[in-house]
Amino acid sequence: MGAMTTLPGTGPSELDLRTLPCRRSDPDLWFAESPTDVESAKALCRDCPLRLECLAGAQERREPWGVWGGELFIQGVVVARKRPRGRPRKHPLPEPVAA
């Protein structure tokens, strides 16, 4: 039997999974390093009919990284934005105490 391409139980006009944004676009976009690409992936998720289910599943699985349900996960936690590599820390580390 071939791979399922529709979501069962979605009614007479079953949802064709091939029409979802994550299936029509480059899969690497959802795991991009560039903050611009991450925001593009999040924008594609906004109108997805499975956005909430995708997000709930990712939270349940504690996805280590990527865009799931329109949110960015890093180390299993939803974060607002991806910061580019090489940027200084948002809050500097405390100075070591001299002995």
Side-chain angles (χ1 to χ4, degrees):
M1 181 179 258
M4 181 185 294
T5 58
T6 58
L7 187 63
T10 55
S13 62
E14 290 188 356
L15 178 63
D16 185 348
L17 298 179
R18 294 173 296 187
T19 64
L20 298 177
C22 56
R23 302 291 176 99
R24 291 189 325 251
S25 302
D26 179 3
D28 291 338
L29 184 62
W30 275 261
F31 300 96
E33 288 293 325
S34 158
T36 302
D37 289 343
V38 168
E39 291 304 316
S40 295
K42 288 168 62 174
L44 287 170
C45 291
R46 280 193 195 107
D47 295 325
C48 179
L50 296 180
R51 187 181 68 77
L52 295 178
E53 291 87 343
C54 179
L55 178 59
Q59 288 173 321
E60 184 178 308
R61 293 185 306 273
R62 292 191 49 89
E63 283 293 341
W65 66 293
V67 174
W68 299 89
E71 299 292 340
L72 175 62
F73 283 75
I74 296 179
Q75 297 179 351
V77 178
V78 173
V79 295
R81 300 201 157 71
K82 180 164 182 94
R83 292 176 39 181
R85 288 182 178 203
R87 289 190 60 197
R89 293 180 177 267
K90 203 171 193 180
H91 302 286
L93 295 173
E95 292 293 322
V97 178

